[in-house]
Amino acid sequence: MIYTDPSARLLALHTTHTSYWMGVDETGRLLHLYYGPLRETPPAWPEPYFDPGGRPDRLPQEWPCPGLGDNHAPFFAPEWADGAIAAEMRFAGVKTRAGKYALPGLPAFRIGEDPGAETLRITLKDGRGLTLTLLYGVLPGCDVITRAAVLENTGEEPVTLRGMPSAVLDFARSAHPALDFITFDGAWAAERTPCRAPVRPGVQAVGSVGGIPTHAHNPFVMLCTPDAGEDRGECWGAALVYSGNYRMQAESTPAGVRLSVGIEPFRFAWTLAPGGRFIAPEAAFVYSGAGFGPMSRCFHRAIRRHLLPARWADMAAPRPVLLNSWEACYFDFDEAKLLRLAAAAKAAGCDLFVLDDGWFKGRNDDTSSLGDWVADPAKLPEGIDGLCRKVNGLGLAFGLWVEPEAVNPDSDLYRAHPDWALQIPGRETLALRHQYTLDFSRADVREGVWRQLTALLDSCPVAYVKWDMNRTLANVYSAALPAARQGEVYHRYVLGVYELQQRLTDRYPDLLVENCAGGGARFDCGMLYYSPQIWTSDNTDALDRLMIQYGTSFCYPPCVMGAHYSTVPNHTTHRTASVEARMAAALAGTFGFELDLTAYTAAEIEALHPFVQFYRDHGALVRGGELYRLAAPDGQGAAWAIAAADGSEAVVFAVGAPLDGRRLPLPFADPARRYAVHALYTGSAPQPPAAPLPGETLLEQGLPLPALSGTLPGYVAWLQSQEG
Ligand code: GLA
């Protein structure tokens, strides 16, 4: 619910459990007053407000401005024609409406089915000719508040934006004397490990200048009280709905902590001619007064219901169980080998066969051919359509890997259009994985790629596309833009990717798109607007996946995490793990296979059936249920569960010997019910609890885990409730 009281100059956004208050001071500044538990009475005005000195950098603000006394590290930086960088945005009006705003050309949480969704539009003006519209979206059922900002040049001179945040959130020191900052960091094959530290004086930030979020950080961060944990303490999560260069910055000053999120200002410059406008990407916030678990569940609900393409939202559509050819074949295959693999996938119970890299003209390793999206006649004499029809004939849908943003210098595309690659004149272009990046800021380049993609997708019934992106951007310079506009290229590139993915999903509404970037280097809310799943990491090792999927789950729900069962020793880590552990990691995501099943005996294939059946029976629960992180990964194991919102059923996963014989308290268990425990095992089955267990026992004493031994053992169970 949105509350506005223009006479008292107070504005409030209420979700089911949280409130966000703002106030307009007598000079017209928009102050941030409160973001915390639901509160229907106005909070106190910030103390510095009464400071007769009126120092602007002591005031918690919604849109801090540079150049006129706010000495925080500036993020918003409009440069006027005379070179001055300054602004004074003052309140000019407010409007509310039912439903949530959308952002043209940019992903944003959708109105969805949430009947109570509302939008608050606050207009701020600078006298020299800038009008800022701050958009606030309220998704009450998910306890999510979104923000976006639209800046319009309403003056008569050009203004160049040298920094443009999406949102700023001030935490006054008087209300929040100490806060921790949590970021999600890593590397290739080790994405999104939570990293927590007290906010230190000064600026600390994560972000990217690589054109994509990269493996190193994620555009999701949290602030929390020092006592906060999974089920206690206060925390605030901030997700940027954006897939390019970004900065998530916490700055501690004597006044408090300022969290600013938005497009990274390095190499960002956007000139607004009179009448021009710039739309900053959306940011989404959740407050929880009861720790990280409830915060994550709010983000998960909002992403599932209101961000994913409607076709795949929430529990709407089952996702296919797929087998991906990459770890089975790499570049080494022909049609006969693929068909043997597809037949084995069918025997294992898969729905979809995905042909990964290596299928296009001359592609026998990663040195050539990206950009030439036609089948390699040496490997696939009957083309992609021939293979697709044969795979369909086996009773499987067909899917394909592409990397539309990439081009190898050794490709027909590059030879024909060398200027289509991003390159700085007079400098050597950096090849990473032997490839350059196409200039997606250019409509003609996108059109060229689009023609190739549609020719491919129109040639046969492709049900799934894995859209990969295997390098960061460098040599970012567009041959199509003048010198003064080169600061637009990074952002225009992202807008170009969004445009093409939107076209793809509009033209092929039933196509399942899985995004990917060398594993999980572009795992963000922006991409989830176009694809309901993202390949979480190239690392499919069960033990490492515990941490990767745990860290990822702070913002993103299990149903968006690409997760495959793979062979042992694992191809990345060379470690081994039990079937149950590998299955637990895969079943808690989108579930698929990535291994050479042609090497399996009929009996070994048969042993996979119970797990595939488990996914068929409980996949809807995994996709639409509520995640509980029960034991954080400690390098040895972890446990988690996904429960129905009413506590009527759950799937429980435990991995690692340290959980051996332990009891796992289940916070979602309903004391009014009893739960039958159905555990899944290969080999010698440990004894699961024989009789149904009372919800109260599960809640207080916990679910007794059976003996778990061997190399990385695992436990997967379905808990089915009975009344009373
Ligand atoms: C990336 C992806 C992998 C695979 C390879 C193919 O690394 O993350 O899953 O598709 O590219 O080259």
Side-chain angles (χ1 to χ4, degrees):
M1 211 194 85
I2 292 175
Y3 165 86
T4 60
D5 178 352
S7 60
R9 304 194 140 211
L10 282 165
L11 309 162
L13 314 168
H14 301 299
T15 67
T16 308
H17 301 105
T18 69
S19 293
Y20 187 114
W21 282 87
M22 293 167 271
V24 181
D25 77 7
E26 56 205 7
T27 71
R29 258 192 215 107
L30 184 63
L31 301 186
H32 176 74
L33 303 183
Y34 174 88
Y35 186 21
L38 188 67
R39 140 172 220 144
E40 277 162 18
T41 52
W45 285 78
E47 269 177 38
Y49 178 68
F50 299 104
D51 177 352
R55 285 169 296 191
D57 62 343
R58 290 293 172 95
L59 293 169
Q61 298 177 60
E62 286 293 300
W63 195 265
C65 292
L68 300 169
D70 183 335
N71 294 327
H72 285 81
F75 207 138
F76 178 50
E79 182 179 320
W80 301 89
D82 60 5
I85 293 187
E88 235 173 342
M89 306 303 304
R90 292 293 189 257
F91 183 79
V94 61
K95 276 191 193 150
T96 60
R97 72 166 177 87
K100 184 183 165 284
Y101 63 85
L103 300 175
L106 280 165
F109 282 82
R110 304 163 202 269
I111 299 165
E113 303 126 39
D114 210 317
E118 283 176 286
T119 298
L120 174 73
R121 292 167 61 102
I122 302 176
T123 308
L124 305 178
K125 285 189 186 224
D126 177 276
R128 196 166 168 181
L130 283 178
T131 299
L132 178 70
T133 306
L134 294 180
L135 295 164
Y136 296 80
V138 182
L139 300 175
C142 307
D143 284 321
V144 166
I145 286 171
T146 64
R147 289 184 54 179
V150 182
L151 189 72
E152 204 181 331
N153 183 349
T154 39
E156 277 154 24
E157 55 178 313
V159 180
T160 299
L161 281 173
R162 303 214 171 266
M164 176 74 183
S166 289
V168 176
L169 202 52
D170 267 337
F171 296 79
R173 188 161 306 284
S174 49
H176 306 285
L179 289 170
D180 287 355
F181 190 37
I182 307 181
T183 56
F184 296 84
D185 312 306
W188 175 79
E191 294 91 338
R192 291 175 294 284
T193 300
C195 175
R196 175 174 181 169
V199 179
R200 299 174 42 231
V203 172
Q204 43 253 265
V206 292
S208 167
V209 295
I212 57 174
T214 81
H215 300 99
H217 306 292
N218 193 262
F220 171 74
V221 297
M222 295 163 61
L223 285 169
C224 65
T225 49
D227 64 327
E230 197 54 34
D231 54 9
R232 63 187 188 285
E234 294 190 280
C235 62
W236 295 261
L240 193 63
V241 187
Y242 191 59
S243 315
N245 286 351
Y246 65 97
R247 184 185 290 186
M248 316 290 273
Q249 173 176 302
E251 180 179 14
S252 175
T253 69
V257 174
R258 173 168 292 174
L259 180 70
S260 309
V261 304
I263 294 177
E264 158 63 41
F266 167 74
R267 210 55 191 114
F268 172 80
W270 199 282
T271 299
L272 294 175
R277 65 175 196 161
F278 183 83
I279 306 173
E282 179 168 88
F285 297 92
V286 170
Y287 164 81
S288 157
F292 309 149
M295 177 213 68
S296 293
R297 291 189 284 278
C298 289
F299 275 112
H300 294 179
R301 237 173 284 145
I303 289 171
R304 289 194 319 252
R305 293 183 192 163
H306 304 299
L307 187 61
L308 302 186
R311 166 80 172 81
W312 306 102
D314 219 352
M315 286 176 277
R319 310 277 180 82
V321 178
L322 64 83
L323 180 135
N324 177 296
S325 68
W326 182 239
E327 289 194 18
C329 305
Y330 296 104
F331 297 103
D332 178 19
F333 56 82
D334 58 18
E335 193 194 74
K337 183 170 174 182
L338 294 178
L339 289 172
R340 280 197 303 278
L341 185 61
K346 177 68 187 169
C350 291
D351 307 303
L352 170 71
F353 176 76
V354 177
L355 175 53
D356 207 279
D357 198 352
W359 58 266
F360 41 98
K361 211 160 66 175
R363 178 81 165 172
N364 293 315
D365 54 34
D366 61 10
T367 61
S368 78
S369 313
L370 289 169
D372 300 342
W373 303 110
V374 285
D376 185 351
K379 289 179 184 168
L380 302 171
E382 294 181 37
I384 284 296
D385 53 330
L387 175 68
C388 174
R389 286 177 216 292
K390 287 178 194 172
V391 168
N392 289 164
L394 293 170
L396 290 168
F398 179 73
L400 202 57
W401 178 97
V402 284
E403 193 174 349
E405 298 153 73
V407 66
N408 285 116
D410 181 4
S411 67
D412 293 345
L413 183 73
Y414 187 74
R415 282 183 283 271
H417 300 285
D419 67 308
W420 281 19
L422 289 170
Q423 36 203 324
I424 299 178
R427 287 190 187 274
E428 195 180 330
T429 302
L430 177 73
L432 293 175
R433 210 196 189 206
H434 312 285
Q435 65 198 58
Y436 298 159
T437 309
L438 291 173
D439 181 356
F440 260 47
S441 72
R442 281 171 63 173
D444 58 337
V445 173
R446 296 197 299 274
E447 196 53 40
V449 173
W450 175 247
R451 273 200 299 273
Q452 288 206 54
L453 285 182
T454 49
L456 195 62
L457 298 179
D458 290 342
S459 72
C460 56
V462 176
Y464 162 107
V465 158
K466 178 174 171 187
W467 178 309
D468 208 342
M469 201 306 183
N470 271 308
R471 59 161 291 177
T472 50
L473 306 191
N475 304 81
V476 175
Y477 184 96
S478 176
L481 287 174
R485 293 184 59 196
Q486 291 299 327
E488 299 175 13
V489 180
Y490 273 110
H491 183 55
R492 286 196 183 280
Y493 180 94
V494 182
L495 295 178
V497 172
Y498 289 155
E499 188 217 63
L500 217 59
Q501 295 219 350
Q502 184 66 57
R503 279 176 91 178
L504 196 63
T505 48
D506 286 347
R507 178 163 167 145
Y508 307 100
D510 289 333
L511 182 72
L512 173 58
V513 179
E514 176 156 350
N515 269 292
C516 174
R522 195 160 62 183
F523 203 116
D524 59 72
C525 284
M527 299 318 284
L528 288 175
Y529 182 81
Y530 307 96
S531 72
Q533 52 198 61
I534 301 179
W535 185 227
T536 315
S537 175
D538 278 344
N539 187 345
T540 53
D541 174 273
L543 186 61
D544 285 351
R545 275 283 176 146
L546 297 182
M547 181 54 96
I548 294 167
Q549 294 180 192
Y550 167 83
T552 304
S553 79
F554 276 76
C555 178
Y556 310 100
C559 68
V560 307
M561 294 186 211
H564 298 167
Y565 177 85
S566 66
T567 197
V568 285
N570 182 270
H571 286 191
T572 304
T573 64
H574 311 292
R575 275 198 303 246
T576 195
S578 68
V579 171
E580 289 80 6
R582 286 178 284 148
M583 283 293 183
L587 282 166
T590 58
F591 193 55
F593 293 87
E594 186 153 341
L595 74 171
D596 185 3
L597 283 181
T598 62
Y600 272 43
T601 63
E604 284 168 333
I605 294 248
E606 175 103 29
L608 301 172
H609 287 165
F611 296 96
V612 176
Q613 192 56 45
F614 186 89
Y615 177 79
R616 301 233 181 273
D617 294 342
H618 311 302
L621 178 59
V622 171
R623 284 193 304 282
E626 310 264 278
L627 177 75
Y628 288 81
R629 293 176 289 254
L630 303 175
D634 58 359
Q636 319 261 332
W640 66 99
I642 301 174
D646 64 357
S648 59
E649 58 169 340
V651 285
V652 177
F653 302 92
V655 172
L659 294 158
D660 179 11
R662 248 176 70 175
R663 297 191 76 111
L664 216 49
L666 303 179
F668 52 82
D670 177 353
R673 301 172 192 259
R674 301 175 73 77
Y675 293 83
V677 181
H678 307 274
L680 254 186
Y681 279 97
T682 57
S684 59
Q687 295 307 305
L693 297 170
E696 210 170 341
T697 307
L698 294 174
L699 198 58
E700 282 160 19
Q701 292 156 36
L703 172 71
L705 291 178
L708 295 172
S709 57
T711 308
L712 201 69
Y715 173 82
V716 178
W718 173 51
L719 271 56
Q720 174 192 31
S721 79
Q722 304 150 354
E723 299 288 335

